[in-house]
Amino acid sequence: MAKEVNLLGLWASPFVLRVQIALELKGVSYEYLEQQLWENKSELLLRSNPVYKRVPVLIHKDQPICESAIILQYMDEVWGACGPAILPSDPYERAIACFWVSYIDDKFGPSLVGLIRGKTDEENAAAAEQAILGLELLEEAYEKSSRGKRFFGGDDVGYLDIVLGSSLRWIEVIEIMRGIKLLDNAKFPLLMAWAERFRAAAVVKKLMPEAGKLMEYAKEVQARMNAAAAN
């Protein structure tokens, strides 16, 4: 690896997208190394993340850092003088942002996965209910955190914006796959307006995966899951 900073990733992963957006915002030069996760995982990935064996992994000066939320925090410490801050400087606001990031990863994100994996109407309905509940809570969180500004983090894209925003394309794909509407302007006007602003950010437009390609990947994921369940 020639560069000081390397990112092991998968193009379709919203977790990898988080790190890519943050690297671009910070203006950090890096080499992107696409990984295969279904089979034939690379020796570099297995060596860099022996516990979870998954992406993203940021390798900085030959030292691997795993898990997207942790990587973003690390980047804000190491490249604090570069680009906009990712995490809030105020300790309370930082704690609140970290709380909602944990909620997204522990509760909201799994509900989206459930909508991809669901095999019955009951499973899909339960996952959709959980996802909509999550959006209701995040709508309230945005109103409180943004204080009338453009993003969760204020005037600039920040920690919570990156974490939630990186899932927006997957939400669109899931809505089409399941014939449902999760992000609805009537129910979530603040989140809908925020999502438009986030998607319009130059760095996001540059990195956000194309919806049609992501749809094909989602179908492949479903097929692999169904095949695994049948065995």
Side-chain angles (χ1 to χ4, degrees):
M1 297 181 292
K3 281 192 175 289
E4 183 180 81
V5 180
N6 295 269
L7 175 61
L8 310 187
L10 177 73
W11 71 269
S13 168
F15 301 101
V16 173
L17 181 59
R18 295 174 180 181
V19 181
Q20 290 177 298
I21 291 173
L23 286 166
E24 292 285 343
L25 286 173
K26 287 292 186 182
V28 177
S29 178
Y30 67 101
E31 181 177 0
Y32 177 76
L33 303 171
E34 180 76 7
Q35 302 295 300
Q36 298 293 328
L37 297 188
W38 292 104
E39 54 193 20
N40 299 323
K41 293 183 179 181
S42 73
E43 180 183 342
L44 178 60
L45 175 60
L46 296 176
R47 186 172 69 248
S48 301
N49 191 356
V51 177
Y52 292 116
K53 304 177 177 64
R54 66 190 181 195
V55 295
V57 178
L58 184 76
I59 303 176
H60 181 216
K61 296 182 179 179
D62 296 324
Q63 298 296 319
I65 305 97
C66 305
E67 299 299 292
S68 62
I70 294 171
I71 292 171
L72 266 59
Q73 294 174 34
Y74 173 86
M75 289 176 56
D76 221 24
E77 291 285 341
V78 173
W79 294 293
C82 302
I86 295 174
L87 277 80
S89 58
D90 178 81
Y92 177 75
E93 292 179 2
R94 185 163 60 248
I96 294 299
C98 289
F99 170 85
W100 284 111
V101 165
S102 294
Y103 176 80
I104 290 167
D105 285 348
D106 295 341
K107 296 292 185 180
F108 180 66
S111 70
L112 299 180
V113 174
L115 280 164
I116 298 173
R117 291 180 172 175
K119 296 181 178 63
T120 67
D121 291 342
E122 290 78 11
E123 289 175 342
N124 290 326
E129 182 179 0
Q130 185 63 40
I132 290 171
L133 172 61
L135 290 170
E136 289 173 353
L137 294 172
L138 289 164
E139 174 89 354
E140 295 176 9
Y142 176 79
E143 184 174 15
K144 293 177 181 177
S145 298
S146 67
R147 297 171 184 168
K149 295 186 177 180
R150 291 168 51 80
F151 299 103
F152 280 96
D155 292 320
D156 298 313
V157 170
Y159 190 40
L160 189 48
D161 301 290
I162 294 171
V163 169
L164 180 58
S166 293
S167 296
L168 286 174
R169 190 70 86 201
W170 271 106
I171 291 174
E172 293 174 28
V173 167
I174 290 168
E175 287 177 332
I176 295 170
M177 288 174 62
R178 294 303 184 192
I180 58 176
K181 192 64 177 173
L182 297 174
L183 263 180
D184 182 89
N185 193 54
K187 292 182 180 178
F188 310 115
L190 297 179
L191 280 182
M192 285 292 289
W194 161 82
E196 288 302 313
R197 289 191 292 271
F198 181 82
R199 281 190 287 252
V203 64
V204 176
K205 290 172 69 174
K206 174 182 174 182
L207 294 168
M208 189 77 80
E210 193 271 323
K213 185 179 178 183
L214 198 60
M215 176 68 76
E216 291 304 313
Y217 179 79
K219 292 176 181 178
E220 179 186 350
V221 170
Q222 279 189 320
R224 286 180 179 270
M225 288 178 174
N226 291 337
N231 293 333

